[in-house]
Amino acid sequence: MSEVTDQMRRHSAAHLMARAVQNVFDDVQVDIGPATDEGFYYDFDLPHRLSPEDFPRIEAEIARLIALDEPFVRKVVSRAECAQMLAGQTYKLERLADIPEGEDISTYTVGDYVEMCRGPHVEHSKQIGVVKLRRVAGSYYRGDENNKMLQRIYGIIARDQAEMDAILAREEEAKKRDHRRLGTELDLFHLDPEDPGQVFWHPRGWSIYVTLQDYMRRKLVKDGYQEVNTPALMPRSLWERSGHWAHYQQNMFITESEKRLFAVKPMNCPGALEIFKSRTRSYKDLPLRLAEFGHCARNEPSGTLHGIMRVRGFVQDDAHIICMEEQIEAEVAKFCHLLKDVYSDFGFDQNMKVRLSTMPEDHVGDEATWRKAEDALAKALVANGMDYAIQEGEGAFYGPKLEFKITDALDREWQCGTIQLDYQLPSAERLNAEYIGADGKKHHPVMLHRAVLGSLERFIGILIEHYAGAFPLWLAPEQIRILPISDKAAAYAQKVQAALAAAGYRVEIDSSAEKLGAKIRAATVAKVPYQVVVGPRDEAAEQISVRSRADGDLGAMKLDAFLARLAAEMKS
């Protein structure tokens, strides 16, 4: 028996769900049902309007079909035979017509259900495990809004009920940690439906944003980067030369001025090369590491936007390393070291998953150059002892890339770091970047596009959910809240605040008329790392009473002792 993967189990579950829906309801037309990284879905066209109230009936039928333990049987058939097998299924027959003449047509049959599918699938239905349906949503046929809206059911699988219970518990916890919910509750940001995909940062959220940028700036200076800034609006002529006009125009915001077309930059790379080209460069100048926190805009479909995780306007911790071919391996190794260093500061597991994404169908440059670039990235990973998997055809249009996935507190994977190797943009055919080599001749460098955090908006969203809004002391927008017991302690509270602020901490005073218990509850809900309670007795004793979010009531202590504790925690 071959190894049964999660993807095979999810894909097979999709087939059984389609079969179950056909068994439960009348006049069901099915379209497609692939596996996803989280589960699976299937698109249906039927008179009945599906809702979560239908899920128990469908789940019961799926469980019955799984218990039959029927085999998934693959068969390669002719076009005519496949059309006969799919008779009456309009969408399937249209998909069949898309298959080029002469190409093998693969089908899978389980029980009385047949599907045109490349597979692979499990051998028997019991290998699927347990299925749970999660939600139903609308989905245009072939993703085209001019086509009919179908009904899409999403589901997940588990090996047994115990694992499913654990998955559902994690989902409930994920709802509590949802960055959109916490973003509102903690007053970090808001999103305006009139301006989709744009983030309005409130003071507390912007504090996190700026702290994150400053942190990365310190890391970059240490790692030999120079920070630059390039225009947000650039002419069509530049985007044509870079290749973005032909390969990325659908994602660009375009405007006109004085009968010329301009685009808001969706990425920073052409600007970095324009800076490189602004004067004569020598091989001694390389590698040149140019970092930019440049604001980019991408015309993402509104239906794909998700809180601050996927937006239209964003800033990346972007950088471009312009170097010689023989420097590629060392620069990729240096980048991997930086990644591990940064991620450890946020408490992410160091067992990163690495993916090498190769040449897509829509690409610039010849295949030989692409293979050379892919081999260079693979060798750099091997030299650094990093395992990786291949993602066929998932590279950028200008070059292959490495993607690095981190795991959060709920064991969810997030792709953040990336480094892309680009022979195309600096070439004579594109932006024609050159340097003078040791031989006195002109050469074209290569360029590494890289980001550690990726979009700052998205990374902050990940952090909100990873920490459940309880940010570590160094990142928390409000690090300390002072709670005076009464107005008699107001002057002492201001004195303590001034001392803590002078030491560089973000401190606020709760000067409301609420009783101390209510103030403590409010600070706890706001997830402030430290609460400092002060009253006349504390002032007389020249001390403060400290409560820690992590460790509870720490009792009375001198201000100097508290500052020493804060300094140690910030350092760690």
Side-chain angles (χ1 to χ4, degrees):
M1 181 185 295
S2 59
E3 180 189 1
V4 177
T5 67
D6 286 343
Q7 285 294 92
M8 291 164 63
R9 293 169 56 232
R10 290 167 183 159
H11 197 176
S12 302
H15 281 217
L16 282 200
M17 179 172 73
R19 183 183 176 191
V21 170
Q22 287 185 324
N23 290 349
V24 170
F25 299 100
D26 296 326
D27 301 324
V28 178
Q29 292 275 326
V30 294
D31 182 27
I32 57 171
T36 67
D37 288 342
E38 294 80 30
F40 62 91
Y41 68 81
Y42 218 108
D43 289 345
F44 300 97
D45 183 5
L46 69 161
H48 176 76
R49 186 175 180 81
L50 295 166
S51 74
E53 283 70 34
D54 297 313
F55 290 175
R57 291 171 64 198
I58 301 171
E59 288 169 348
E61 179 62 10
I62 294 171
R64 186 185 73 80
L65 296 174
I66 287 175
L68 294 177
D69 202 23
E70 295 169 316
F72 279 75
V73 180
R74 182 176 184 269
K75 185 180 180 182
V76 176
V77 300
S78 68
R79 183 178 297 272
E81 188 177 358
C82 188
Q84 187 176 8
M85 296 166 79
L86 299 174
Q89 285 295 321
T90 304
Y91 300 104
K92 290 295 185 185
L93 291 173
E94 288 186 17
R95 299 280 184 181
L96 174 62
D98 292 341
I99 299 176
E101 289 291 341
E103 187 173 309
D104 286 344
I105 298 172
S106 170
T107 63
Y108 276 87
T109 301
V110 54
D112 59 359
Y113 181 77
V114 64
E115 178 78 275
M116 179 176 60
C117 181
R118 291 192 182 94
H121 285 278
V122 298
E123 294 183 355
H124 293 268
S125 59
K126 273 189 178 178
Q127 292 172 318
I128 292 171
V130 179
V131 173
K132 181 75 176 173
L133 305 186
R134 305 307 292 133
R135 61 191 178 94
V136 61
S139 172
Y140 290 110
Y141 175 51
R142 294 181 182 265
D144 186 340
E145 62 184 16
N146 296 312
N147 289 335
K148 186 171 184 178
M149 175 77 79
L150 305 182
Q151 301 185 72
R152 176 174 293 180
I153 300 179
Y154 291 87
I156 57 174
I157 61 166
R159 297 185 185 280
D160 52 37
Q161 191 57 49
E163 184 182 52
M164 180 62 75
D165 291 342
I167 291 171
L168 296 178
R170 277 202 305 272
E171 283 192 357
E172 285 304 308
E173 180 61 23
K175 288 179 185 176
K176 296 175 187 175
R177 293 171 178 250
D178 190 306
H179 74 280
R180 294 165 296 182
R181 174 173 168 264
L182 289 174
T184 300
E185 290 180 2
L186 300 177
D187 194 22
L188 304 179
F189 61 83
H190 82 270
L191 301 161
D192 187 342
E194 291 293 312
D195 193 9
Q198 307 291 337
V199 186
F200 291 79
W201 289 103
H202 298 193
R204 291 176 184 275
W206 191 244
S207 169
I208 297 169
Y209 202 104
V210 171
T211 302
L212 201 57
Q213 273 192 327
D214 290 345
Y215 163 84
M216 283 307 303
R217 282 192 170 101
R218 291 192 297 271
K219 293 289 186 183
L220 294 175
V221 169
K222 238 173 118 180
D223 230 34
Y225 288 84
Q226 301 173 68
E227 188 174 341
V228 298
N229 191 265
T230 60
L233 204 61
M234 294 183 180
R236 170 179 177 170
S237 56
L238 178 64
W239 298 114
E240 285 180 330
R241 284 185 286 125
S242 72
H244 291 87
W245 198 262
H247 297 271
Y248 204 76
Q249 186 183 152
Q250 72 276 11
N251 293 107
M252 298 167 73
F253 287 100
I254 298 168
T255 187
E256 184 178 349
S257 177
E258 298 178 343
K259 298 182 179 180
R260 294 179 64 204
L261 289 179
F262 295 81
V264 181
K265 64 179 178 182
M267 51 199 69
N268 301 306
C269 34
L273 272 183
E274 290 300 294
I275 290 175
F276 178 84
K277 291 164 54 184
S278 65
R279 66 179 177 85
T280 302
R281 304 285 180 174
S282 161
Y283 71 97
K284 295 180 181 179
D285 297 325
L286 305 181
L288 182 64
R289 306 182 189 98
L290 300 178
E292 179 174 10
F293 292 98
H295 192 278
C296 297
R298 295 180 184 173
N299 192 9
E300 304 280 5
S302 59
T304 67
L305 303 176
H306 177 67
I308 63 174
M309 297 282 203
R310 186 163 184 178
V311 291
R312 286 176 172 170
F314 61 93
V315 172
Q316 288 183 311
D317 66 320
D318 208 3
H320 297 89
I321 303 167
I322 302 165
C323 63
M324 297 180 284
E325 274 190 300
E326 56 266 33
Q327 295 171 323
I328 291 172
E329 186 176 311
E331 288 303 309
V332 174
K334 188 177 181 67
F335 172 72
C336 291
H337 179 77
L338 176 62
L339 270 185
K340 292 178 180 179
D341 181 36
V342 169
Y343 292 161
S344 68
D345 284 348
F346 292 98
F348 290 115
D349 191 324
Q350 289 301 287
N351 295 320
M352 290 183 293
K353 290 186 178 178
V354 187
R355 300 288 183 267
L356 170 55
S357 298
T358 59
M359 184 178 72
E361 287 187 19
D362 180 22
H363 66 273
V364 295
D366 60 86
E367 190 169 332
T369 303
W370 270 84
R371 298 303 169 226
K372 180 167 65 171
E374 290 166 5
D375 289 345
L377 290 181
K379 286 177 182 175
L381 289 174
V382 171
N384 284 279
M386 300 182 76
D387 295 328
Y388 66 94
I390 299 289
Q391 291 187 150
E392 293 287 353
E394 293 296 317
F397 73 85
Y398 48 79
K401 61 182 176 180
L402 299 178
E403 296 179 346
F404 300 83
K405 292 187 176 182
I406 55 178
T407 304
D408 72 4
L410 294 182
D411 290 326
R412 298 174 301 182
E413 291 182 352
W414 302 94
Q415 188 268 307
C416 293
T418 181
I419 187 163
Q420 304 164 5
L421 177 50
D422 184 0
Y423 280 81
Q424 309 303 329
L425 212 57
S427 69
E429 294 75 23
R430 294 292 167 191
L431 297 185
N432 195 29
E434 297 176 329
Y435 68 92
I436 307 300
D439 57 3
K441 297 178 181 178
K442 291 181 178 180
H443 301 270
H444 294 291
V446 294
M447 183 156 77
L448 291 162
H449 310 242
R450 105 306 163 268
V452 177
L453 307 181
S455 154
L456 296 188
E457 285 75 9
R458 179 170 177 269
F459 193 74
I460 291 173
I462 293 169
L463 291 181
I464 291 171
E465 298 191 1
H466 178 60
Y467 296 129
F471 294 97
L473 179 64
W474 72 274
L475 194 55
E478 182 186 357
Q479 296 169 313
I480 306 157
R481 184 175 296 185
I482 301 174
L483 313 177
I485 291 175
S486 66
D487 289 343
K488 294 178 181 178
Y492 186 51
Q494 290 173 358
K495 182 179 177 182
V496 173
Q497 181 194 38
L500 292 169
Y505 297 102
R506 295 181 285 276
V507 193
E508 295 183 16
I509 299 175
D510 183 346
S511 55
S512 68
E514 297 288 345
K515 293 183 178 180
L516 180 60
K519 291 183 179 183
I520 290 172
R521 283 193 296 275
T524 302
V525 169
K527 303 182 188 289
V528 181
Y530 284 97
Q531 302 169 27
V532 172
V533 180
V534 293
R537 290 182 182 178
D538 296 297
E539 183 176 10
E542 295 185 338
Q543 64 185 22
I544 55 177
S545 297
V546 180
R547 297 176 62 88
S548 163
R549 184 182 65 200
D551 302 320
D553 191 353
L554 302 179
M557 64 179 71
K558 295 292 184 182
L559 184 58
D560 285 347
F562 183 46
L563 285 168
R565 178 188 175 95
L566 294 173
E569 188 170 335
M570 292 286 281
K571 189 176 180 181
S572 67

